[in-house]
Amino acid sequence: MPGRKQHVFTARFDEALFEEVQEVTRLQSGSINQFVTTAVQRHLRSTRNELMNRYEVALEKLRKMAAEDPEFTNSLDAFVDAELEHEDPIEGLPQVGERSPEEQELLDIFAASA
């Protein structure tokens, strides 16, 4: 496909699946690459509607919640209750690791205002 950027990656198949793919591509006089590309395209097309439906349902739930509780008072109350009711196993423990420049800047601001 001239003019289109292509990405290369490794796909791992178990032996039985690989043999099936080889046989199908041999019978179709095609390449494994084209077979996998076509299979992925078909899978994406077949799942796109299902995913869109799931997103629509989730969005509708969020809209309903926002309509019923526009100030999120109930949500905030539920969050506070959950914080009080459940033990947080890492609360108060120092987090080890590198900080991003943004995290360090926030920590510096907090330290300066303390």
Side-chain angles (χ1 to χ4, degrees), residues 1 7-14 17-26 28-45:
M1 287 181 250
H7 298 273
V8 178
F9 67 95
T10 300
R12 292 181 179 22
F13 298 113
D14 65 32
L17 178 60
F18 184 70
E19 288 173 5
E20 269 188 84
V21 169
Q22 279 185 314
E23 182 64 16
V24 168
T25 55
R26 186 185 66 75
Q28 293 178 341
S29 300
S31 70
I32 291 176
N33 185 63
Q34 185 56 47
F35 176 82
V36 171
T37 299
T38 302
V40 169
Q41 288 170 337
R42 286 180 182 165
H43 176 74
L44 291 174
R45 278 195 300 269

Side-chain angles (χ1 to χ4, degrees), residues 39-105:
V40 169
Q41 288 170 337
R42 286 180 182 165
H43 176 74
L44 291 174
R45 278 195 300 269
S46 72
T47 59
R48 182 175 293 133
N49 288 340
E50 179 186 336
L51 288 173
M52 290 301 292
N53 288 337
R54 280 196 226 163
Y55 294 146
E56 289 295 332
V57 167
L59 184 57
E60 189 55 40
K61 286 180 183 178
L62 290 172
R63 286 183 175 138
K64 183 179 176 186
M65 288 171 57
E68 291 172 356
D69 187 16
E71 299 298 319
F72 298 103
T73 306
N74 296 335
S75 299
L76 292 171
D77 290 344
F79 176 79
V80 169
D81 290 343
E83 281 290 307
L84 294 173
E85 290 175 19
H86 301 284
E87 188 67 31
D88 184 350
I90 64 166
E91 186 171 337
L93 296 176
Q95 301 301 305
V96 180
E98 245 180 79
R99 293 187 178 111
S100 70
E102 295 80 7
E103 289 173 310
Q104 188 58 54
E105 184 177 350

